Amino acid sequence: MLMLITYDVNTETPEGKQRLRRVAKKCVNYGQRVQNSVFECIMDSALSYKVKNELIKLIDKEKDSLRFYYLGNNYKTKVDHYGAKRSFDVTDPLIV
């Protein structure tokens, strides 16, 4: 399924900047960055539960925000994109 992860981390303090880097690094491991604080991730429900719990542990719940959008397996009909930064199909084979 496609899961969209979005976050807003308060960076007014050095600790906040550190939390932001940790959250971004964690998200990069699981999906494709489509905007500064938005990641598209293809994962099953077990992995999404794991990632969600890992990210929740990284944030300050009083200052930061995380959102998870579950778009399901038929996500290709649910996402329209216009403009720069064309994304790629993460289910296609990767040729290096």
Side-chain angles (χ1 to χ4, degrees), residues 77-89:
T77 61
K78 297 177 184 174
V79 178
D80 286 334
H81 176 267
Y82 304 93
K85 288 190 165 181
R86 201 68 191 142
S87 62
F88 60 90
D89 186 346

Side-chain angles (χ1 to χ4, degrees), residues 57-81:
K57 290 177 186 175
L58 294 177
I59 67 164
D60 179 336
K61 292 180 187 175
E62 300 296 318
K63 299 177 183 176
D64 307 330
S65 172
L66 275 172
R67 288 182 181 251
F68 302 90
Y69 298 90
Y70 302 92
L71 298 179
N73 291 322
N74 297 321
Y75 60 88
K76 290 182 182 181
T77 61
K78 297 177 184 174
V79 178
D80 286 334
H81 176 267

Side-chain angles (χ1 to χ4, degrees), residues 15-27:
E15 295 80 15
K17 292 175 183 177
Q18 197 172 60
R19 285 194 313 275
L20 176 65
R21 283 191 297 276
R22 287 186 190 137
V23 169
K25 278 185 172 184
K26 183 65 69 176
C27 289

